[in-house]
Amino acid sequence: MNNAPIGIFDSGVGGLTVAREIMRQLPNESIVYFGDMARVPYGSKSKETVISFSEQIVRFLQEKEVKAIVVACNTASAFALPDIVSDVTIPVVGVIEPGAKAADAITKNKKVGVIATEGTVRSGMYAKVIKAINPEIQVFQKACPLFVPLVEEGLLYDSITIEVADRYLHDLLSYGIDTLVLGCTHYPLIRRTIQKVAGENVSLVSPAYETAKELEKIINENNINSSLESAVHRFYVSDSADRFKKLASSILPCDIEEVGHVNIEQYG
């Protein structure tokens, strides 16, 4: 059990930002990653659909005998996390609570912005969790639906991405926020663009780092640390394996030799 892998899933490549942090902070832990490239993005889909997709992926990861699951998708964390926790007997980590804790620790003027998918913003989970931690914080949210397809197309530093970011952030910045939560795991991949538009006085919070720290804490508490000297990472997608491999190779600190294709709907 200790040497079993960590299961990680996302709607596409965005969750690789979480996988990257886990690789850095927990180098002995193996990973099984699933990217739902056939059905990305999740942010525009209904709660019921996201829960259904998430449950299918969890069944696939259980088949791979993972020892813990990281829901590396903010929309899935907002909509499906309680259902996943109730369905499995292994530890489950989402990305919203770690990000909310980091925002509380960083903000000085108690004005926090959150950019996320339509689904995550609609759920109101970031505002709910942040205000549960610190009721004095004002939370301002903005849905940024174009960011995910721009990232999935590899347009990380393109002029159109800068223009879109400028339009999305204009209203949030007018509220005087000093902290901005990147409430989608795709967004850290355009962190430089977002920081350029937000300005140096706004601190960016990437839940990926905090999620890896939370996972490390849970692994230690459950005494399921890996004893492997060399971790083994496996990657699976529901579509577009070649595109995923190309993007993943530019994100992760390791080379990806193979990406498996999975008919994820068979796990419905």
Side-chain angles (χ1 to χ4, degrees), residues 157-191:
Y157 312 110
D158 195 89
S159 60
I160 191 173
T161 307
I162 296 174
E163 181 179 348
V164 170
D166 187 59
R167 292 192 180 192
Y168 280 153
L169 297 182
H170 181 269
D171 290 342
L172 278 182
L173 296 174
S174 70
Y175 295 120
I177 62 171
D178 72 347
T179 304
L180 181 62
V181 179
L182 307 183
C184 172
T185 48
H186 284 73
Y187 297 177
L189 296 172
I190 51 173
R191 184 187 184 106

Side-chain angles (χ1 to χ4, degrees), residues 57-117:
I57 297 168
V58 166
R59 293 186 192 107
F60 165 73
L61 292 175
Q62 287 181 296
E63 188 178 87
K64 298 300 178 183
E65 299 183 332
V66 298
K67 65 181 178 183
I69 293 175
V70 177
V71 185
C73 171
N74 284 267
T75 304
S77 292
F79 286 155
L81 193 63
D83 294 83
I84 296 172
V85 170
S86 66
D87 287 345
V88 302
T89 57
I90 56 178
V92 180
V93 181
V95 290
I96 290 180
E97 187 170 344
K101 290 178 179 178
D104 172 56
I106 291 173
T107 184
K108 293 181 174 61
N109 69 1
K110 308 301 181 186
K111 293 182 178 181
V112 174
V114 176
I115 53 174
T117 66

Side-chain angles (χ1 to χ4, degrees), residues 36-72:
D36 200 359
M37 301 288 282
R39 305 185 292 197
V40 64
Y42 279 11
S44 59
K45 295 177 173 60
S46 69
K47 177 179 180 179
E48 292 74 21
T49 297
V50 173
I51 290 174
S52 177
F53 287 177
S54 300
E55 289 176 340
Q56 290 173 1
I57 297 168
V58 166
R59 293 186 192 107
F60 165 73
L61 292 175
Q62 287 181 296
E63 188 178 87
K64 298 300 178 183
E65 299 183 332
V66 298
K67 65 181 178 183
I69 293 175
V70 177
V71 185

Side-chain angles (χ1 to χ4, degrees), residues 135 142 184 214:
K142 176 67 177 178
C184 172
E214 181 68 18

Side-chain angles (χ1 to χ4, degrees), residues 5-24:
I6 306 295
I8 305 173
F9 79 88
D10 180 59
S11 62
V13 300
L16 291 173
T17 58
V18 178
R20 178 175 61 192
E21 288 298 333
I22 292 172
M23 290 177 182
R24 287 174 177 171

Side-chain angles (χ1 to χ4, degrees), residues 94-229:
V95 290
I96 290 180
E97 187 170 344
K101 290 178 179 178
D104 172 56
I106 291 173
T107 184
K108 293 181 174 61
N109 69 1
K110 308 301 181 186
K111 293 182 178 181
V112 174
V114 176
I115 53 174
T117 66
E118 293 172 299
T120 301
V121 169
R122 190 168 64 248
S123 76
M125 283 302 295
Y126 264 107
K128 180 180 178 180
V129 176
I130 290 173
K131 294 187 83 60
I133 295 170
N134 187 342
E136 296 182 3
I137 294 178
Q138 292 179 275
V139 181
F140 306 93
Q141 300 186 92
K142 176 67 177 178
C144 304
L146 290 178
F147 279 166
V148 170
L150 286 170
V151 169
E152 292 285 338
E153 288 298 322
L155 300 175
L156 306 184
Y157 312 110
D158 195 89
S159 60
I160 191 173
T161 307
I162 296 174
E163 181 179 348
V164 170
D166 187 59
R167 292 192 180 192
Y168 280 153
L169 297 182
H170 181 269
D171 290 342
L172 278 182
L173 296 174
S174 70
Y175 295 120
I177 62 171
D178 72 347
T179 304
L180 181 62
V181 179
L182 307 183
C184 172
T185 48
H186 284 73
Y187 297 177
L189 296 172
I190 51 173
R191 184 187 184 106
R192 284 197 297 174
T193 297
I194 294 172
Q195 187 72 75
K196 181 179 180 180
V197 173
E200 61 183 17
N201 293 325
V202 176
S203 298
L204 303 188
V205 174
S206 172
Y209 176 84
E210 303 299 334
T211 301
K213 298 299 292 184
E214 181 68 18
L215 175 64
E216 180 180 26
K217 176 184 175 182
I218 289 174
I219 286 176
N220 289 334
E221 288 176 347
N222 287 273
N223 196 28
I224 52 175
N225 308 73
S226 172
S227 60
L228 295 174
E229 293 184 4

